Amino acid sequence: MELWPWLSAALLLLLLLVQLNSTAKFYAKFTLYCVLCFGTSALAAVICLLRHGGRTVENMRIISWFVRSFKYFYGLRFEVQGLEKLKVDQPCVIISNHQSILDMMGLMEILPGRCVQIAKQELLFMGPVGLVMYLGGVFFINRQRSSTAVTVMAEVGERMVRENLKVWIYPEGTRNTNGDLLPFKKGAFYLAIQAQVPIIPVVYSSFSSFYNPDTKLFTSGTIKVEVLDAVPTTGLTVADVPNLMDTCYGNMRTTFFRVSKMPQENGASGRARVQPAQ
């Protein structure tokens, strides 16, 4: 019995289902995203090993080239303002809002040279994804053990100055799809003050018009990105962390509502609620 007619019919039925059913379309695109992540991570890891022989921040150029291609599969466009503010030849802490798994595309779209991320330790064990992150110099933190996290952050502070690194952190600490910013954790601000380096906030507009896991929405769209002015930390001490955090939170929240064209009902001038250090 010939299988090709049945396989062809099944494929046509699947394509028709994806076109007609938004839930099927969402899961199809989500699955493709996961396949792209694992497939390109495996390929990029091989190239990183052949090119640089191991773990180095220079591998981030290879990784970002692969990830930037994802947007063509999903019809996503990025409109970036202030990109030149990231092109500074000095260490700094970059902070941005964190919405979904798609943030990786946004990060790699504007990733400056000699920039690494801080990520949760669980990602290290995600097969080729964890491997390529390790090869790219990503710092992994065990968020369940605060003593270990503090030790890693201290090491990051020393290395970013010694090796002229930029460190990218999501101060909300977790993904957030509630149409606002979550309260910031203190880790990024302690790090910047410890190393006496500036903080550069980056704001991405809301994804809700084209990506929403709750409603199973996943279409094409435009993401607006705005790089804000650097916030200096020279001369600041640990006692200044709350004010520094509140300043960055207020500026980023105001920008988030503006670039997302959403009403800011609660205002952004209030103090960000304090959460434990990352």
Side-chain angles (χ1 to χ4, degrees):
M1 183 178 178
E2 291 289 339
L3 291 179
W4 286 112
W6 292 101
L7 291 175
S8 300
L11 179 59
L12 288 173
L13 181 60
L14 177 61
L15 291 174
L16 180 61
L17 182 63
V18 167
Q19 291 299 318
L20 295 179
N21 188 294
S22 60
T23 300
K25 183 182 295 187
F26 174 86
Y27 283 113
K29 287 191 172 184
F30 186 86
T31 301
L32 175 61
Y33 187 82
C34 294
V35 170
L36 286 173
C37 287
F38 280 87
T40 57
S41 292
L43 180 57
V46 172
I47 297 175
C48 288
L49 288 170
L50 291 175
R51 182 71 182 273
H52 296 119
R55 178 177 168 88
T56 170
V57 65
E58 297 303 325
N59 282 328
M60 290 307 303
R61 294 187 180 186
I62 298 171
I63 299 168
S64 65
W65 184 87
F66 278 99
V67 176
R68 288 199 306 271
S69 67
F70 289 12
K71 61 187 176 186
Y72 300 114
F73 290 90
Y74 293 95
L76 296 178
R77 294 179 59 251
F78 289 89
E79 296 180 358
V80 184
Q81 291 187 12
L83 184 60
E84 68 281 356
K85 298 173 185 177
L86 292 177
K87 297 179 179 179
V88 291
D89 187 22
Q90 68 177 90
C92 62
V93 173
I94 303 171
I95 58 175
S96 67
N97 54 316
H98 193 16
Q99 299 181 71
S100 77
I101 60 172
L102 303 184
D103 288 336
M104 182 176 63
M105 285 193 285
L107 184 154
M108 294 300 176
E109 184 72 17
I110 65 170
L111 190 76
R114 299 197 61 75
C115 181
V116 296
Q117 299 83 53
I118 289 182
K120 58 185 180 181
Q121 191 177 52
E122 293 88 335
L123 294 175
L124 179 60
F125 305 104
M126 290 187 61
V129 174
L131 173 60
V132 81
M133 292 176 70
Y134 173 81
L135 291 174
V138 171
F139 294 102
F140 295 95
I141 286 186
N142 185 347
R143 297 186 300 183
Q144 307 304 318
R145 299 183 61 181
S146 58
S147 58
T148 303
V150 169
T151 300
V152 172
M153 293 297 275
E155 178 190 349
V156 171
E158 294 174 0
R159 287 188 58 184
M160 70 185 299
V161 173
R162 184 174 68 250
E163 301 176 21
N164 190 24
L165 298 176
K166 301 175 181 67
V167 177
W168 193 299
I169 301 177
Y170 295 111
E172 292 171 283
T174 189
R175 298 170 190 163
N176 168 35
T177 59
N178 69 0
D180 201 343
L181 298 188
L182 293 176
F184 285 174
K185 295 185 178 182
K186 294 180 178 180
F189 307 94
Y190 275 118
L191 176 62
I193 288 178
Q194 170 194 327
Q196 292 289 282
V197 299
I199 295 176
I200 303 180
V202 177
V203 179
Y204 293 85
S205 62
S206 173
F207 296 171
S208 60
S209 63
F210 63 88
Y211 179 82
N212 189 326
D214 294 331
T215 61
K216 300 299 181 287
L217 173 70
F218 201 164
T219 63
S220 58
T222 298
I223 300 169
K224 294 184 178 180
V225 188
E226 188 163 327
V227 183
L228 307 187
D229 292 334
V231 180
T233 65
T234 304
L236 298 185
T237 67
V238 171
D240 297 302
V241 165
N243 287 334
L244 178 63
M245 183 171 64
D246 289 346
T247 297
C248 293
Y249 180 88
N251 291 342
M252 290 178 66
R253 188 166 183 257
T254 298
T255 303
F256 173 75
F257 284 112
R258 175 170 52 79
V259 298
S260 303
K261 296 183 178 179
M262 298 166 59
Q264 186 174 333
E265 297 177 356
N266 299 323
S269 58
R271 292 175 59 86
R273 285 181 291 166
V274 175
Q275 289 202 359
Q278 286 177 305

